[in-house]
Amino acid sequence: MKGTNLAVVCSTSGLPQNTELARQAVWAKATQFLQPNLGKLYASFYPAVHAWGIDLNVRFGVLLGREAPEQFIRILVAATEAQNASIDFHIGGLLSRVDLGQTQQMGDTIICPVTLDGRDKELEAHSVWHIAMAAGEFLPDCGIYYMDRSTAVADLELRREISRSIENHAVCVVRLEAMA
């Protein structure tokens, strides 16, 4: 990962009505969220001006749903697609390292045992990534993060909530630069 984009979604409840002040408040929330992992998971972060083929001509990379609903939706879709691409990448990496002959089926679920004993670092990394994503943890390549719910994974209820009230949400698009 040289760098990746991240869409941080949050509610605008309690934010100023003034557009610029609201943008500043969302940027401050995103910065406060990202700061603890600076130097651990990424070397730097800054507002994105171009993400997933979409130009962002807004201060702090903050789109307010009430101001630009079409662009807001385009960013959420693109970020979700980026998350799906990361999931596919890590599934591919995981499946390329496991013995598929050891799979078992329990009802509708296929179980593939994995031994994480430190001997296969790539297998371990892909496995831990999936466990973290299943728990909704923030990861630099998760594509999208829902700050109010503290999760990288949106269930159907959250997606419906956002789609019904786009005007009450904002997204801060940031660029995360990889550690050297």
Side-chain angles (χ1 to χ4, degrees):
M1 173 182 93
K2 289 184 179 185
T4 187
N5 296 310
L6 174 69
V8 180
V9 181
C10 67
S11 167
T12 56
S13 177
L15 296 183
Q17 288 300 309
N18 176 285
T19 300
E20 285 308 308
L21 293 177
R23 276 199 182 97
Q24 289 175 18
V26 171
W27 172 247
K29 286 170 78 170
T31 299
Q32 185 177 20
F33 167 70
L34 293 167
Q35 193 72 36
N37 289 311
L38 184 61
K40 297 175 190 168
L41 299 178
Y42 35 86
S44 64
F45 66 88
Y46 49 88
V49 294
H50 186 81
W52 306 295
I54 302 168
D55 286 325
L56 297 163
N57 297 319
V58 290
R59 286 193 59 196
F60 305 113
V62 174
L63 281 171
L64 301 172
R66 69 179 186 229
E67 179 186 47
E70 298 86 12
Q71 192 174 24
F72 179 88
I73 291 168
R74 287 181 54 216
I75 286 291
L76 291 189
V77 168
T80 301
E81 288 172 354
Q83 184 177 80
N84 291 338
S86 287
I87 291 168
D88 290 347
F89 169 77
H90 289 285
I91 284 175
L94 183 64
L95 291 177
S96 72
R97 316 282 306 172
V98 299
D99 180 1
L100 296 177
Q102 294 183 352
T103 59
Q104 305 168 13
Q105 187 161 350
M106 296 180 96
D108 292 339
T109 304
I110 296 175
I111 298 172
C112 184
V114 174
T115 302
L116 301 178
D117 58 7
R119 286 188 275 170
D120 189 335
K121 296 296 184 191
E122 188 175 336
L123 174 65
E124 195 168 303
H126 290 300
S127 299
V128 169
W129 190 93
H130 280 288
I131 292 166
M133 278 299 287
E137 293 294 320
F138 165 69
L139 299 165
D141 63 344
C142 68
I144 190 166
Y145 189 81
Y146 303 90
M147 196 176 338
D148 297 332
R149 296 270 184 98
S150 300
T151 187
V153 181
D155 59 16
L156 185 57
E157 176 189 331
L158 179 55
R159 289 178 194 202
R160 284 182 179 159
E161 176 187 321
I162 292 170
S163 68
R164 283 192 299 256
S165 62
I166 290 170
E167 69 280 358
N168 297 325
H169 289 84
V171 61
C172 181
V173 186
V174 296
R175 179 79 181 164
L176 305 174
E177 294 296 340
M179 302 289 292

